[in-house]
Amino acid sequence: MSLIHCIYSSAAADTNLSKEALDEILQQSRTNNAKAGITGMLLYEGGTFFQVLEGEESIVESIYEKIEKDPRHERITKLIVEPIAERAFGEWSMGYPRVSKKDLLDIDGLNDFFSKGNSFVELEEGRAKLLLKAFHKGKWRV
Ligand code: FAD
């Protein structure tokens, strides 16, 4: 089995995305991912998403293809796709750590980036890795 992670960012199509709409995405993700053996994490802040999908390569690719076509978001940018030795979010069919702008400003190496008004859609690979690292081991895990 070849394990990969696929990390992307996007912007919500509805700039006033309701809690109910977000819950629907999470519920749908958790149901599908649990069946498919996909784990990961979704962040939503300032109208933008950052998602980590991990699992068997072909399954991650097919879920990503579905997600990419979803009209609930746009400006979808694939940031990282690479093999991984083990899952970082193995216990989460789709974790949803609630983050505020302040939490993002507290992340080492990203404070400058977020303080300039940037959001997840402006991330590139290097900063995406820093964000991933913060959520892999950070305080949001508990
Ligand atoms: P159904 O639930 O039957 O949906 C059928 C179709 O309707 C799909 O094309 C879907 O895009 C669309 N749809 C469903 N609900 C709505 C709605 N409220 N508004 C507009 N269109 C709608 N899916 C996963 O399986 N795993 C994930 O990790 C995952 N993460 C996501 C992250 C984001 C930011 C978004 C926006 C979506 C995510 N999804 C995820 C949902 C994914 O895009 C598909 O909607 C879902 O996988 C389709 O599930 P289904 O095949 O069971 O179809």
Side-chain angles (χ1 to χ4, degrees), residues 41-102:
M41 167 188 85
L42 179 70
L43 301 179
Y44 179 69
E45 212 291 311
T48 62
F49 294 105
F50 177 85
Q51 189 172 32
V52 181
L53 298 160
E54 49 188 27
E56 161 62 27
E57 184 171 11
S58 58
I59 301 175
V60 171
E61 279 167 2
S62 73
I63 295 240
Y64 179 78
E65 273 172 32
K66 274 206 286 189
I67 295 175
E68 214 181 17
K69 296 191 188 98
D70 196 313
R72 289 171 287 183
H73 60 168
E74 51 203 28
R75 295 175 68 190
I76 302 153
T77 308
K78 212 188 254 186
L79 297 166
I80 302 170
V81 181
E82 63 187 9
I84 48 172
E86 58 185 31
R87 293 173 192 255
F89 303 101
E91 75 278 26
W92 284 344
S93 56
M94 192 43 62
Y96 179 66
R98 280 171 186 72
V99 283
S100 64
K101 184 75 187 273
K102 186 184 171 306

Side-chain angles (χ1 to χ4, degrees), residues 98-109:
R98 280 171 186 72
V99 283
S100 64
K101 184 75 187 273
K102 186 184 171 306
D103 294 324
L104 298 176
L105 290 170
D106 282 346
I107 301 175
D108 280 346

Side-chain angles (χ1 to χ4, degrees), residues 7-64:
I7 300 172
Y8 74 87
S9 64
S10 66
D14 177 354
T15 48
N16 286 315
L17 191 71
S18 65
K19 185 184 173 301
E20 289 71 26
L22 193 55
D23 283 347
E24 195 183 329
I25 292 173
L26 280 171
Q27 203 181 359
Q28 196 178 27
S29 304
R30 286 173 179 154
T31 306
N32 290 347
N33 295 355
K35 283 189 210 147
I38 298 290
T39 51
M41 167 188 85
L42 179 70
L43 301 179
Y44 179 69
E45 212 291 311
T48 62
F49 294 105
F50 177 85
Q51 189 172 32
V52 181
L53 298 160
E54 49 188 27
E56 161 62 27
E57 184 171 11
S58 58
I59 301 175
V60 171
E61 279 167 2
S62 73
I63 295 240
Y64 179 78

